[in-house]
Structure formats: C-alpha cells, structure tokens
Amino acid sequence: SGFLREILVGNKFSDVYRDSFTLAFTIPDLVYNLLIGGSIQSAITPSLSSWINNNEEKRGCRAVSIFISVFASILFVVCILGVVFSDFIYKLYSSGNSNPETIHLAAMASKWLFPQIFFMMLAALCIGILNAYKRFGSTSFGPTIYNVFVLLSILIFAGNDEKSLVRCTAGIMVAAIIYFLFQYIIGFDKLKQIRFIFKPTDKNFIKLLKTAIPVLISSSIVSSTIS
C-alpha cells in the first residue's frame, strides 16, 4: 500500500505539485522524528511490560499516562506553532533550494500535516502500550488501514491546483485520525486505563524519559543528517 501511494502521487500530480506535496511532509516528519522517533516503543513497551510482569500494572499505567501527557502537550504546542508559522518555516528551510511557488504550496499543504503528526503520535503510543500487553495482532493492521485511507485521499482529492493539494493533505490528516481511533478502539480494554496526568517530576516518568532520551538523540542525529 505504501508503494501504491508513491505511484499515485506521481500520476495524480504534475511536477510542481508533486514536489510541493513531497516537501510539505518534510518538516512535520522531521519534527516527529526529533520529538518522538522510536522513543515511544523503546521506552513504553519494555518498561510497562516489566511493571505488568512484576504485578505493578497500576504503577506502570500511571507512569505511561504521565509520559503520554507530557509528550502530547509538547507536540500539541509544536503543531500549533507549525501551522501558524508554516510560511516562514518553509521559506527558511527551503531557502535557495526551491522555487517560490513550490515553497508556498508546501507551506499551505503542511497546515494539515502538522496536526497529522499529533494523531500519528497517539496511534504510536497505543501500539506501544498494546505491545507491552503482547497484543501484537491488534496492532498489525493499523499502518495498512492508514495507507488505504491515504490512497483514498489522493484518489479523490489530488489535483494540480492549490485547493486540491490542501484537500488531499486534509484527507491524510483524517487518515491519521482514523488510524489512531482504530488502534484505540481495538485496544480500549487496556488503553482505558491511560489518563491525562501532567507531572513531569514523577520519578517513574523520569525513569521512562531516561530510557527514551538515547533513542531520541540517535533519531535526531539521523534525521538531521538526512535533512
């Protein structure tokens, strides 16, 4: 489904709009990799699994709740800033590398892709928690479902004008919401334990954070190098 998505993008967009579509993903993907990356699974899954095995499920769920609350709050603020300052961000990022039209179109399209990474993060958090409970089957179809709805968005909305490009990325954000809701619904019996608890000084949260930091640093280096 991922390869099919790339084929459709090439067929549905002309060169300028295809370049804009690709560029639009660059900054949101970079933000996601810098702030989240692989830290979710590396921190949540083994730590929560250990707490569950030691009959400390409530303690583990509370620590995970704080972890999710803190990271979700940070990413929420970053996404809002991304939407508000998208024109400035893309002009700065693409200075001297793209024509003004491509940069403008990418900035407009990204206004829906910044919120998308928030829901992608929530979906990834759901997967990390369910994996700790060894619910691997419940998480295996999520990415395919996401790609299917992305394909539908491209098929229905993609075209060679600004409105079509923006509608396409808006549809992709909806695909991310569906992806998150799918993961949450199929794992509701476990995920219902997660609550919003913003206590960044909690010792168990700090333990999780220390587990996540090395992965965040490594993914940041890789993302910065690629960019």
Side-chain angles (χ1 to χ4, degrees):
S1 58
F3 286 120
L4 182 57
R5 179 180 63 188
E6 297 305 315
I7 293 172
L8 281 177
V9 168
N11 289 332
K12 296 287 287 186
F13 290 117
S14 64
D15 290 345
V16 171
Y17 287 90
R18 182 174 63 250
D19 291 345
S20 300
F21 181 82
T22 302
L23 181 60
F25 280 88
T26 305
I27 304 298
D29 285 352
L30 180 62
V31 169
Y32 182 88
N33 289 328
L34 290 176
L35 292 181
I36 305 298
S39 64
I40 293 172
Q41 278 79 11
S42 69
I44 288 181
T45 302
S47 299
L48 180 57
S49 180
S50 176
W51 275 312
I52 293 170
N53 291 333
N54 292 326
N55 297 315
E56 296 180 313
E57 184 177 359
K58 289 185 177 180
R59 178 187 173 193
C61 287
R62 185 177 186 278
V64 169
S65 294
I66 297 172
F67 185 91
I68 292 174
S69 300
V70 171
F71 273 81
S73 298
I74 293 171
L75 192 57
F76 182 77
V77 173
V78 170
C79 288
I80 291 175
L81 293 175
V83 172
V84 174
F85 297 105
S86 60
D87 286 308
F88 171 76
I89 293 170
Y90 277 83
K91 286 178 182 176
L92 182 65
Y93 178 81
S94 304
S95 178
N97 296 321
S98 300
N99 66 58
E101 183 184 7
T102 300
I103 297 171
H104 169 73
L105 290 170
M108 292 300 100
S110 73
K111 291 182 183 295
W112 291 103
L113 296 178
F114 278 105
Q116 185 224 195
I117 63 174
F118 181 79
F119 293 102
M120 293 296 286
M121 180 204 69
L122 293 179
L125 289 167
C126 291
I127 291 173
I129 295 168
L130 293 175
N131 284 344
Y133 284 97
K134 298 180 174 61
R135 297 275 292 274
F136 304 110
S138 300
T139 62
S140 59
F141 295 104
T144 301
I145 289 173
Y146 168 73
N147 273 329
V148 167
F149 280 96
V150 169
L151 289 172
L152 287 174
S153 178
I154 296 171
L155 281 170
I156 296 170
F157 299 115
N160 295 313
D161 59 79
E162 183 174 329
K163 286 185 178 180
S164 296
L165 179 65
V166 171
R167 286 171 184 167
C168 183
T169 52
I172 291 172
M173 189 200 70
V174 173
I177 295 173
I178 293 171
Y179 178 29
F180 159 62
L181 291 175
F182 172 79
Q183 297 293 173
Y184 185 78
I185 290 170
I186 63 174
F188 180 74
D189 58 321
K190 301 299 182 184
L191 297 171
K192 66 182 180 180
Q193 304 174 79
I194 306 302
R195 298 285 187 272
F196 184 86
I197 307 173
F198 194 87
K199 290 187 177 181
T201 58
D202 182 86
K203 64 178 182 179
N204 291 317
F205 163 73
I206 294 173
K207 179 182 177 181
L208 277 173
L209 187 62
K210 287 180 178 178
T211 304
I213 284 175
V215 182
L216 281 173
I217 293 174
S218 62
S219 64
S220 298
I221 293 171
V222 172
S223 299
S224 299
T225 302
I226 292 174
S227 300

